[in-house]
Amino acid sequence: MTSTLLPGNIVYGGPIPVREAQEYRSLGQLIMDRYKSFGNQTVMIDAVSGTEYTGKFLYDSIVRLAQILQKLGIQHNDVVGLSSENSVNFAIAMFAGFAVGATVAPLNVTYSEREVDHAINLSHPKIIFASKITVDRIAKVAKQNKFVKAIIALSGSSTNHPKVYSFTDLMNSDKYKTKPDFTSPAANKTEDVALIVCSSGTTGLPKGVQLTQFNLLATIDSQIQPTMIPFNEITLLTVIPWFHAFGCLTLITTATMGTRLVYLPKFEENLFLSAIEKYRVMMAFMVPPLMVFLAKHPIVDKYDLSSLMVLLCGAAPLSRETEDQIKERIGVPFIRQGYGLSESTLSVLVQTDDYCKPGSVGVLKCGIYAKVVDPDTGKIMGPNERGELCFKGDGIMKGYIGDSKSTQSAIRDGWLHTGDIGYFDDSLEFFIVDRIKELIKYKGFQVPPAEIEALLLTNEKIKDAAVIGKPDEEAGELPMAFVVKQTNSQLTEEDVINFVNERASPAKRLRGGVVFVDEIPKNPSGKILRRILRDMLKKQKSKL
């Protein structure tokens, strides 16, 4: 991976060396063909049950479900929703959606009814797949939205909703006659949207990021870098939720490589460590809170983690101290950080063996251009000069669904403006230093302060509110509120925390606490001056 500095201070990661995936008729066909070619090789392992799944099993299941979806009325470019924790049925449902040329819209399993309602009104899914923990909530919201024609329960369901089908019953039913093979319809790759992933906007509820078939196919090609070990001999562990862009896109890319993917539905200390030991896991997808766990938790010493060769960490910055502690404690030779956004289809920057300076997020991936722009003047900056990071290339999203204003603000002249402040050094390695965006990064989840603020203001005892991220070593940042009470109202910190807990998903809860203030600092146009609130927090800490 060799970057070059082009005239005008544009950095280029070089061309994608292979175009195999991009030349496929569709993403669905690529995934089916790959699974078919893997035959009886194990490609997925459920680390909770220990069940192993072969390429043939996944191929047969995708082919059958694709035909059932067509019989249920799903056509090319229809939308299929998917609300589930990691499971083999999640993968089958998503890949069957791709096979029929549908758009798949994963939904965060922790979404409240209000958030589910918002998300499905962005994408308008005809069918929603839901797991045992989400099906009742999905069914309740679907009742209010006539465009949802059916719900498929991936596991058990206690709901007696008339539109709910059982995944197992559908797959085993004689009612649906299907053929052993299936051809995916040819896609208009640059126009057809494969995925709609929810990305938290800074201005409130999530936006729907549209990733095209071409975005995904080109990203798959860009992932294929020569490795010392063949892909089909690599065992990889993931606990990153597949409904999250990072998890979803890594599931898709590893599916095409024949890697043995060991998955967990959620992080549990003993299960996570025993899976590494039992399956001799070589690589793992990580986020900083998991890295802190490996570095510091006493339980880690009880397991044999010597098989670990590479930890790939994304979603938020990783401290040098944590990295060093892990290398010393477990002896993992390679820890690699990357940087990407939902809007860029996985990572645009990644550390390599040659480019992994402390604190860096690596160099540009092939197929990507970058520039650093002064946010005030628009001037393109040179090496070691800070500005807003902007990217251009095959992975940049089509746009936000139903939101042309936000799309035009994010993508200007083909360049995605990230809202992150950074720079590149003389060897074209990139560093992130700050965010223009106000997003709080809690355990890799993006939490928009404006959404929590709007929620707090619905409480009649609250006159005004502002939310910031309180730094936390394990979680990254914890949402914390500054609240102005209505005159003569009785309100405690616990009241405010409980109010949010009852109305928002777990990542948005006020784990950083509540501080009561007389007024919220704002600029003349009414924008909250979060910088001042952060200073107040620092002063508070220094007094302790």
Side-chain angles (χ1 to χ4, degrees), residues 21-65:
Q22 295 160 68
E23 284 165 6
Y24 251 81
R25 64 186 288 128
S26 70
L27 175 65
Q29 194 65 51
L30 171 72
I31 291 166
M32 286 190 296
D33 284 1
R34 292 284 165 89
Y35 275 138
K36 191 175 188 179
S37 74
F38 302 143
N40 291 323
Q41 179 190 322
T42 297
V43 290
M44 246 183 227
I45 300 173
D46 178 334
V48 177
S49 68
T51 312
E52 302 194 5
Y53 300 98
T54 62
K56 182 182 181 338
F57 171 82
L58 275 133
Y59 174 77
D60 291 345
S61 305
I62 293 162
V63 163
R64 171 140 175 94
L65 184 58

Side-chain angles (χ1 to χ4, degrees), residues 147-167:
F147 52 79
V148 181
K149 304 299 179 203
I151 294 158
I152 298 176
L154 290 172
S155 41
S157 165
S158 61
T159 186
N160 53 9
H161 190 287
K163 290 183 183 174
V164 176
Y165 295 82
S166 152
F167 177 85

Side-chain angles (χ1 to χ4, degrees), residues 54-341:
T54 62
K56 182 182 181 338
F57 171 82
L58 275 133
Y59 174 77
D60 291 345
S61 305
I62 293 162
V63 163
R64 171 140 175 94
L65 184 58
Q67 293 172 77
I68 291 170
L69 284 176
Q70 285 185 330
K71 290 180 197 306
L72 293 173
I74 297 296
Q75 299 168 345
H76 187 214
N77 287 337
D78 281 342
V79 178
V80 172
L82 182 47
S83 175
S84 166
E85 60 280 21
N86 299 356
S87 73
V88 71
N89 289 351
F90 179 114
I92 292 164
M94 179 163 74
F95 297 148
F98 292 157
V100 297
T103 300
V104 178
L107 300 165
N108 187 321
V109 299
T110 69
Y111 273 171
S112 64
E113 285 175 28
R114 178 183 72 108
E115 291 161 323
V116 170
D117 187 66
H118 169 78
I120 68 171
N121 273 285
L122 286 175
S123 57
H124 287 85
K126 268 194 184 176
I127 284 179
I128 303 177
F129 288 92
S131 70
K132 198 173 189 170
I133 63 169
T134 66
V135 68
D136 295 345
R137 202 177 326 141
I138 296 289
K140 205 169 165 187
V141 176
K143 268 183 189 165
Q144 321 302 321
N145 293 284
K146 298 279 186 282
F147 52 79
V148 181
K149 304 299 179 203
I151 294 158
I152 298 176
L154 290 172
S155 41
S157 165
S158 61
T159 186
N160 53 9
H161 190 287
K163 290 183 183 174
V164 176
Y165 295 82
S166 152
F167 177 85
T168 311
D169 291 352
L170 283 175
M171 295 296 272
N172 296 331
S173 166
D174 293 335
K175 181 183 166 188
Y176 298 101
K177 300 278 184 257
T178 57
K179 294 172 182 165
D181 288 301
F182 182 79
T183 303
S184 183
N188 178 345
K189 289 178 276 195
T190 53
E191 287 303 313
D192 289 357
V193 176
L195 274 180
I196 298 172
V197 288
C198 284
S199 166
S200 296
T202 54
T203 51
L205 286 158
K207 295 198 278 278
V209 174
Q210 300 178 94
L211 300 176
T212 64
Q213 297 230 359
F214 182 73
N215 287 153
L216 271 81
L217 292 165
T219 298
I220 289 165
D221 278 340
S222 74
Q223 294 295 104
I224 298 172
Q225 301 297 330
T227 52
M228 289 165 70
I229 304 162
F231 290 123
N232 62 357
E233 289 177 23
I234 293 172
T235 301
L236 197 150
L237 174 68
T238 187
V239 66
I240 313 286
W242 292 344
F243 60 73
H244 187 283
F246 179 27
C248 187
L249 293 159
T250 49
L251 167 63
I252 294 165
T253 52
T254 52
T256 63
M257 294 173 180
T259 308
R260 268 206 327 170
L261 187 64
V262 180
Y263 66 84
L264 284 162
K266 62 175 190 282
F267 175 69
E268 286 175 39
E269 295 171 355
N270 291 305
L271 263 178
F272 179 77
L273 296 168
S274 64
I276 296 171
E277 182 178 89
K278 180 178 178 183
Y279 298 109
R280 305 296 294 155
V281 167
M282 296 162 70
M283 293 171 75
F285 287 123
M286 304 288 282
V287 287
L290 290 179
M291 299 293 272
V292 172
F293 164 76
L294 282 184
K296 299 193 167 175
H297 203 290
I299 195 177
V300 172
D301 294 326
K302 295 179 180 167
Y303 291 85
D304 174 9
L305 308 183
S306 59
S307 61
L308 277 178
M309 298 290 290
V310 186
L311 295 175
L312 302 162
C313 189
L318 176 71
S319 75
R320 175 67 182 183
E321 293 72 34
T322 303
E323 193 177 318
D324 289 343
Q325 283 170 321
I326 291 173
K327 283 184 173 173
E328 199 173 317
R329 185 179 196 185
I330 303 168
V332 180
F334 304 107
I335 292 176
R336 296 283 174 258
Q337 285 198 74
Y339 167 88
L341 307 91

